[in-house]
Amino acid sequence: MSNNRDRGFARGVTRLLSAAIILLFGAALLTKCASTMVPTGGPKDTIPPVIVFMEPNNFTTNIDTLRPPKIYVEFDEYVQIKDQQKELYTSPAMKKKPTVTRRGKGIVITIKDTLRPNTTYAINFGSSIQDNNEGNPLHSMRYVFSTGNEIDSMYMSGYTGDSYKADSVSKSFIYFFIADSVERPSEWDSTMFKYKPQVIARAEKNGIFIAQNLKPVDYRIYAFEDTNNNMEYEPSVDQIGFLDTTYNPSTMPGFSIWFDSLRHYPSAEPQLYFRMFKDRRFARQVLSGQERLNKHKAMLYFGAANPEVTSIRFDSIPADKVIYDPKTVGKDTVALWFDLEPEMLPDTIKGEITYFKHDSINNLVESTDKLRLAWVKVESKEEREERERLEKERERAERAGEEWTEPEKENPFKLNIPSSGDYHKDKPLYFDFDYPLTKFDTTQLTLRVTPEQATEAQDVAYRIVQDTLNRQKYQLCVEWQPKAKYELVMPAGMFENVARETNDTIKCAYTGADPEKFAKINIAVKGTNTKARYILQLTNAQGSVQKSIANVVPGKYVFEYVTAGDVMVRVVEDMNANGKWDTGDMVLMRQPERTEIFKNEDGVETITTKENWEFDIEVDMDKLFAPITMESVIKMLDDREDERLKKLAIEMEKKRKEQSGKQNGQNSGMGFGGMGGLGGGMGSSTSGMGGFGGGSTGGGGLRSGTTGGNTLR
């Protein structure tokens, strides 16, 4: 590996230009080399456009800052421009985006901004340039020029990952600020709000980015997920990531780069690692919306979490008849329930709310806003059709001289509860009501159980607990017996809600789950830091938490009743031992709490569970939460890519067998030869890049470069 790295460094500056062109337009070149033109009516065209001419040439220097020329790029076929606003961006950013129009078989780029002197600019087209017939995109197209005498030519690579989900954050923008051009943060970091970056890069779908045209200077570097496609960081909306120190591309170790021919964009081994998180510090507090959903319910929407409400007053409703009900964990959405008879509620309720909101200079000040909550019943299509049907029946009865009685209407009372199902200690049984209750007589509820191999039912003890975040939700707590039969009866009138609706008799039948239908995962936790606290989370293959154990220290833990299928074990390093994952704070320069996915000795994260199987795993916290190095990040990404390619191969083989029909079961011998990449290593300190290597390996390009082990904290 070291010999290959030295060889990559030795190529030197003389190969930069050709290698850069390969990087920028590798998609077109690779596809062109791998395909041949076919006559009209043959196989579908899969070849993206190929650049045949540029004026001025790419990498032109001394461009006029006041009157930059129009740029013409010609292709070998007619093209179309797609998603220009979303895909196209410049580095550094221009006040006005360049316009791109079609002309013949080419495009004309018009720069509408006054440019900075002695600056290297790059116009990045993303996937916006596509052929006119089949829409094949030319990925990673860039046009580079300079208003000075030279082109900045240094590179850095990196990875943007979700700090909680431990997954890639795609299409993030990476902002590079020359360290000497911004103030050095000590207690507060306002760089992203006060300054414009000198260089901008964007991560691909796999979270990898390759930043180009850097200077050999120190940079402060930030990354953010551009959720609204406006190239502006929006706190509480976009994820953000930052590095704790500065980085200089001239002192960074080399890294490998290759073209991913399956996903059609360049990829690389990262040198930088961003742990992305959502920072809600700068969310502005304001009453952003109000609406009345039905006669008894209104909603208030706030711009930030935990609004400080001083008072709510209505002209026609006593204060003790208004129920204030936060509906989200952050309490930025609040329901108001009106505990009055329906006939006492007007169609429009007027009032006011006093709360603390941000003023024009971002200070929280007490303020009063008017409330006007109007509601008009809108007849649904089904209701109208039913009304018209009943009117016709009544008219027919009257014409025939018959007595007509209107059918009894369906009880509007709503209780969402499963009428049957298998339950166990880790599967809660919930009562979920449409309205808050004013009456819940638990003494009327009966729950009886018939144990397995028994013939007589008996009463069983239970508890009913109201949810702390949702006052309309209750949990029935029972010690479920395996394979036992349960009967739950709730007689009429047991419940009454704020709309003065009551229930009819409700009967449900349940079964105690059979433990043999589930898997069990035994986790032995090791670690030398006995004061550390962790959270064990069992997630599904998509990362959604299924089960959780908090306040974990070295010892033994069990996940019971695990549904058969693919699961993962995520571990949260609970630094403040509060039983939950805490996000970061960019302004206070505080990184989010670390989360890591457990991997076995083969680097596999997914555990495939089966019914009546028991799995034993050992989690070494010292190893799992060892200091992050780029070697560990690269290995993590390599392991994930291997898993992805294996799953892809299985899916493609399955499709091949389905399509082959009669040849079912025949081995396709499919490999991933197309994944061959740029072979040589890339030394950022010498600006040397390798060229194309033969691609015969399955699951990645040939890599001969190496990266250093600088530790990120």
Side-chain angles (χ1 to χ4, degrees):
M1 181 66 101
S2 61
N3 291 337
N4 287 336
R5 179 187 177 190
D6 293 339
R7 187 165 59 251
F9 272 58
R11 292 188 177 101
V13 180
T14 57
R15 301 199 57 180
L16 172 61
L17 183 59
S18 60
I21 293 174
I22 289 172
L23 169 64
L24 308 182
F25 309 114
L29 293 176
L30 271 181
T31 311
K32 188 69 174 178
C33 291
S35 308
T36 58
M37 296 300 291
V38 294
T40 302
K44 181 180 177 181
D45 176 19
T46 60
I47 304 174
V50 175
I51 297 171
V52 296
F53 176 75
M54 286 185 177
E55 179 62 37
N57 283 329
N58 208 1
F59 308 111
T60 295
T61 58
N62 295 309
I63 292 291
D64 193 325
T65 59
L66 299 177
R67 296 181 179 178
K70 290 187 176 181
I71 303 161
Y72 177 66
V73 182
E74 186 174 312
F75 303 92
D76 65 342
E77 59 183 316
Y78 290 101
V79 298
Q80 56 182 323
I81 306 166
K82 290 285 190 178
D83 299 322
Q84 183 179 159
Q85 286 298 113
K86 183 178 179 180
E87 290 288 329
L88 188 143
Y89 72 95
T90 65
S91 172
M94 299 180 186
K95 292 180 181 179
K96 296 180 180 179
K97 271 189 177 183
T99 60
V100 184
T101 56
R102 292 187 298 171
R103 192 175 76 188
K105 287 188 176 181
I107 58 173
V108 176
I109 306 157
T110 304
I111 298 173
K112 296 184 174 182
D113 200 7
T114 299
L115 304 178
R116 306 177 192 177
N118 299 311
T119 300
T120 297
Y121 280 88
I123 303 175
N124 300 269
F125 293 84
S127 302
S128 62
I129 306 300
Q130 304 177 6
D131 69 36
N132 202 42
N133 293 325
E134 299 292 346
N136 298 309
L138 173 57
H139 295 276
S140 305
M141 173 178 161
R142 300 174 80 241
Y143 181 86
V144 181
F145 64 90
S146 175
T147 57
N149 295 323
E150 60 183 13
I151 300 287
D152 295 328
S153 57
M154 310 227 76
Y155 294 77
M156 274 200 281
S157 63
Y159 173 68
T160 54
D162 189 303
S163 60
Y164 177 66
K165 296 180 180 178
D167 198 3
S168 302
V169 178
S170 65
K171 297 298 181 180
S172 298
F173 279 107
I174 297 84
Y175 279 7
F176 289 77
F177 300 86
I178 295 177
D180 291 343
S181 69
V182 298
E183 59 190 282
R184 181 178 181 182
S186 54
E187 297 179 356
W188 304 86
D189 187 355
S190 58
T191 305
M192 284 289 289
F193 305 106
K194 293 176 62 175
Y195 301 98
K196 300 294 183 182
Q198 284 82 11
V199 175
I200 300 174
R202 183 164 60 183
E204 297 290 352
K205 291 182 180 180
N206 61 355
I208 297 290
F209 67 86
I210 303 169
Q212 305 177 56
N213 306 115
L214 296 165
K215 296 179 181 292
V217 298
D218 290 343
Y219 286 94
R220 299 199 66 82
I221 314 172
Y222 302 78
F224 71 95
E225 182 184 24
D226 188 19
T227 307
N228 292 331
N229 295 314
N230 58 4
M231 288 192 69
E232 294 182 2
Y233 168 57
E234 298 180 61
S236 79
V237 176
D238 298 328
Q239 289 198 84
I240 185 78
F242 66 95
L243 302 180
D244 296 323
T245 187
T246 61
Y247 288 87
N248 188 325
S250 66
T251 61
M252 297 292 287
F255 64 97
S256 292
I257 186 168
W258 62 95
F259 181 76
D260 188 330
S261 59
L262 287 182
R263 289 179 289 198
H264 301 292
Y265 51 71
S267 193
E269 292 178 337
Q271 298 172 309
L272 308 172
Y273 177 37
F274 291 89
R275 297 171 57 225
M276 309 286 282
F277 61 91
K278 193 167 287 188
D279 188 348
R280 300 184 180 274
R281 163 178 289 273
F282 284 97
R284 288 180 56 81
Q285 187 58 278
V286 64
L287 179 62
S288 58
Q290 53 180 290
E291 64 176 334
R292 191 166 167 200
L293 299 181
N294 57 50
K295 203 160 193 175
H296 285 82
K297 180 181 182 181
M299 298 296 292
L300 303 179
Y301 304 101
F302 294 89
N306 301 307
E308 186 178 349
V309 177
T310 305
S311 67
I312 296 179
R313 182 190 63 79
F314 292 103
D315 297 340
S316 54
I317 302 177
D320 63 345
K321 295 297 183 180
V322 179
I323 300 173
Y324 186 87
D325 182 18
K327 304 305 293 183
T328 58
V329 174
K331 301 180 181 179
D332 56 359
T333 301
V334 175
L336 300 177
W337 302 95
F338 306 117
D339 184 14
L340 288 173
E341 289 77 6
E343 59 272 13
M344 295 181 64
L345 290 171
D347 291 341
T348 300
I349 302 173
K350 297 180 180 180
E352 61 183 26
I353 179 172
T354 301
Y355 69 107
F356 283 85
K357 73 175 181 179
H358 283 108
D359 61 13
S360 58
I361 57 175
N362 223 38
N363 291 323
L364 278 173
V365 295
E366 193 171 32
S367 179
T368 299
D369 288 358
K370 296 294 185 182
L371 294 175
R372 188 178 186 276
L373 303 170
W375 175 77
V376 177
K377 179 174 175 56
V378 178
E379 189 177 45
S380 68
K381 178 182 177 182
E382 291 77 13
E383 289 173 333
R384 187 188 77 247
E385 291 175 348
E386 178 65 12
R387 175 178 55 79
E388 292 173 348
R389 184 184 68 81
L390 293 176
E391 287 176 353
K392 290 178 180 178
E393 284 187 3
R394 178 177 58 80
E395 291 173 355
R396 281 196 298 267
E398 290 176 349
R399 285 195 299 268
E402 299 174 353
E403 183 180 356
W404 183 81
T405 303
E406 183 176 355
E408 185 177 349
K409 293 182 179 179
E410 182 182 355
N411 187 348
F413 183 90
K414 292 291 188 298
L415 167 58
N416 300 309
I417 183 173
S419 59
S420 61
D422 294 351
Y423 285 85
H424 50 78
K425 69 182 186 67
D426 293 339
K427 181 182 177 181
L429 176 60
Y430 288 113
F431 302 83
D432 200 349
F433 299 91
D434 282 5
Y435 292 86
L437 298 179
T438 56
K439 175 189 174 183
F440 188 166
D441 188 356
T442 57
T443 61
Q444 296 186 45
L445 183 149
T446 59
L447 180 65
R448 296 177 64 78
V449 60
T450 304
E452 185 186 19
Q453 298 179 349
T455 57
E456 294 186 4
Q458 58 192 36
D459 291 337
V460 61
Y462 63 85
R463 291 183 301 113
I464 296 177
V465 180
Q466 188 174 24
D467 193 280
T468 56
L469 296 178
N470 185 350
R471 66 181 303 133
Q472 298 147 254
K473 194 173 186 178
Y474 299 79
Q475 180 181 350
L476 179 67
C477 301
V478 181
E479 291 187 8
W480 300 96
Q481 301 177 32
K483 303 181 183 180
K485 303 296 182 181
Y486 292 82
E487 182 184 50
L488 175 65
V489 179
M490 293 165 281
M494 177 178 167
F495 306 109
E496 183 176 320
N497 60 30
V498 296
R500 304 303 185 263
E501 300 167 347
T502 60
N503 67 294
D504 295 329
T505 299
I506 302 170
K507 294 183 178 181
C508 305
Y510 305 110
T511 303
D514 182 358
E516 295 183 357
K517 299 292 184 181
F518 300 87
K520 179 189 292 187
I521 299 179
N522 302 310
I523 302 178
V525 175
K526 293 174 55 180
T528 57
N529 186 357
T530 56
K531 295 183 178 180
R533 295 294 181 271
Y534 304 93
I535 304 170
L536 294 177
Q537 296 178 338
L538 190 71
T539 79
N540 60 18
Q542 291 72 43
S544 298
V545 178
Q546 308 298 301
K547 301 172 184 291
S548 182
I549 303 174
N551 198 35
V552 170
V553 296
K556 296 185 181 299
Y557 302 88
V558 181
F559 284 122
E560 297 182 277
Y561 292 99
V562 178
T563 303
D566 289 343
V567 297
M568 297 185 295
V569 176
R570 179 194 292 139
V571 184
V572 178
E573 190 178 32
D574 192 9
M575 300 296 292
N576 55 7
N578 64 352
K580 64 178 183 178
W581 175 80
D582 291 302
T583 188
D585 190 317
M586 184 193 68
V587 174
L588 293 179
M589 298 175 287
R590 184 181 67 231
Q591 297 284 2
E593 289 181 335
R594 278 182 66 180
T595 65
E596 298 291 344
I597 301 294
F598 167 78
K599 293 183 289 189
N600 64 17
E601 295 178 354
D602 298 324
V604 177
E605 299 174 341
T606 303
I607 302 171
T608 301
T609 61
K610 298 182 180 181
E611 292 185 8
N612 203 29
W613 278 39
E614 192 166 336
F615 298 81
D616 297 316
I617 64 174
E618 181 179 273
V619 181
D620 187 338
M621 297 301 183
D622 294 344
K623 181 179 178 181
L624 192 63
F625 290 97
I628 299 174
T629 65
M630 294 323 299
E631 285 94 338
S632 64
V633 173
I634 291 168
K635 186 178 187 307
M636 172 191 71
L637 295 177
D638 285 346
D639 290 341
R640 288 183 183 171
E641 182 67 4
D642 288 343
E643 278 199 76
R644 188 186 73 86
L645 291 173
K646 288 176 183 177
K647 290 179 180 179
L648 180 62
I650 293 172
E651 292 173 4
M652 293 180 70
E653 177 67 9
K654 182 179 179 181
K655 289 181 180 179
R656 187 198 66 79
K657 288 182 177 180
E658 291 175 353
Q659 293 171 357
S660 65
K662 295 181 180 180
Q663 298 178 0
N664 185 30
Q666 180 179 343
N667 182 6
S668 68
M670 192 196 80
F672 287 92
M675 287 298 290
L678 297 178
M682 172 174 169
S684 58
S685 59
T686 63
S687 299
M689 288 180 55
F692 284 104
S696 60
T697 59
L702 303 179
R703 309 175 186 181
S704 59
T706 60
T707 59
N710 44 307
T711 300
L712 303 182
R713 293 182 174 84

